[in-house]
Amino acid sequence: MRRPILIGITGGTGSGKSTVANEIYKSFSEDCIAIIEQDSYYKDQSHLTFEERTKTNYDHPNAFDTDLMIEHLKMLLNDQAIYKPIYDFKEHNRRKETVKVEPKDIIIIEGIMLLQDPKLRELLDIKIYVDTDDDVRIIRRILRDIRERGRTIESVVEQYLNVVKPMHTQFIEPTKKYADIIIPEGGQNKVAIDIMVSKIKQVLFENK
């Protein structure tokens, strides 16, 4: 059994991480690649009331169950399937259901805090930082949170200014130094994505 390739894609909120991950994903057959979102690993908050859960700082490293994510990645590396959590952003809590993820040759992990934890960082074979202008990121965040997460524009802007932006400066931006490659302008950078796909294919060929 050959070891799966773990590819970490990180960057600030709205930077285009998911777009880059999906573009890479589409370049391979579905039977050899999987995507795991770090957002799925927000901590279970069943012990808190809904009002208390809405006050959680979701842009802080402590919001994530990183230990569980590391455990799951190690299981996939050892050819074991995992049951990935599902996070409900409207309820601010995990659902009872999970999603089964089978081991694959390529596993993409996508999230804002991937390079913040040394133990998680060490598992990644290729580390990508998606670097996008702050103005573009906040616009994308507003559109996403209103359409997909039931938020108001006022709440999104307030959260961005009071929480998201300072947390980005403190915890996410500094992890850029750990990246193997920095992709400017996220999913719009087709050249960088094509280069990454070629590199992954090369690594796959070498691992045969």
Side-chain angles (χ1 to χ4, degrees):
M1 183 193 72
R2 68 184 181 192
R3 181 188 184 279
I5 303 169
L6 295 191
I7 303 168
I9 302 178
T10 191
T13 181
S15 60
K17 301 180 299 298
S18 298
T19 302
V20 172
N22 288 326
E23 288 297 318
I24 294 175
Y25 181 90
K26 290 189 296 185
S27 301
F28 296 88
S29 61
E30 292 185 0
D31 60 347
C32 77
I33 190 168
I35 296 180
I36 294 177
E37 306 83 3
Q38 190 178 27
D39 283 1
S40 299
Y41 289 85
Y42 277 120
K43 289 179 178 176
D44 181 78
Q45 300 191 108
S46 301
H47 59 291
L48 300 177
T49 65
F50 178 81
E51 183 178 355
E52 289 171 331
R53 297 198 299 267
T54 61
K55 297 177 181 178
T56 298
N57 181 353
Y58 292 96
D59 291 85
H60 192 283
N62 290 342
F64 294 95
D65 192 345
T66 303
D67 289 340
L68 177 61
M69 188 175 205
I70 290 173
E71 178 186 338
H72 280 183
L73 292 178
K74 288 181 176 179
M75 289 175 65
L76 290 169
L77 288 173
N78 288 308
D79 201 34
Q80 296 176 300
I82 65 167
Y83 289 89
K84 182 180 69 173
I86 300 174
Y87 201 82
D88 189 325
F89 287 93
K90 292 183 179 179
E91 293 297 324
H92 302 280
N93 203 12
R94 280 188 195 169
R95 296 181 184 173
K96 294 180 180 179
E97 304 87 0
T98 57
V99 175
K100 186 176 183 180
V101 179
E102 298 282 357
K104 304 285 185 178
D105 293 331
I106 306 165
I107 300 170
I108 297 174
I109 307 99
E110 174 261 305
I112 61 173
M113 295 285 175
L114 291 186
L115 303 185
Q116 202 274 332
D117 187 286
K119 298 188 297 296
L120 180 54
R121 204 163 58 229
E122 289 169 4
L123 292 176
L124 303 175
D125 298 297
I126 300 174
K127 298 178 286 292
I128 301 171
Y129 188 99
V130 182
D131 196 15
T132 303
D133 184 79
D134 288 352
D135 291 340
V136 175
R137 293 194 301 105
I138 177 56
I139 292 170
R140 289 176 178 170
R141 171 109 181 193
I142 289 171
L143 293 175
R144 181 200 67 187
D145 284 3
I146 291 175
R147 291 172 180 171
E148 301 176 16
R149 300 181 180 180
R151 310 286 166 78
T152 64
I153 187 169
E154 292 82 4
S155 68
V156 178
V157 172
E158 180 183 4
Q159 184 184 31
Y160 181 83
L161 294 176
N162 296 330
V163 179
V164 177
K165 186 174 176 60
M167 293 298 99
H168 176 84
T169 302
Q170 182 176 355
F171 293 111
I172 302 171
E173 184 77 19
T175 67
K176 189 188 298 186
K177 63 186 177 185
Y178 299 117
D180 299 310
I181 183 170
I182 297 172
I183 299 181
E185 300 309 318
Q188 307 304 315
N189 196 328
K190 302 299 183 184
V191 173
I193 293 171
D194 289 344
I195 291 172
M196 287 311 309
V197 169
S198 297
K199 177 61 179 177
I200 296 165
K201 289 179 178 179
Q202 178 188 340
V203 174
L204 276 178
F205 179 78
E206 292 172 351
N207 285 352
K208 286 184 178 180

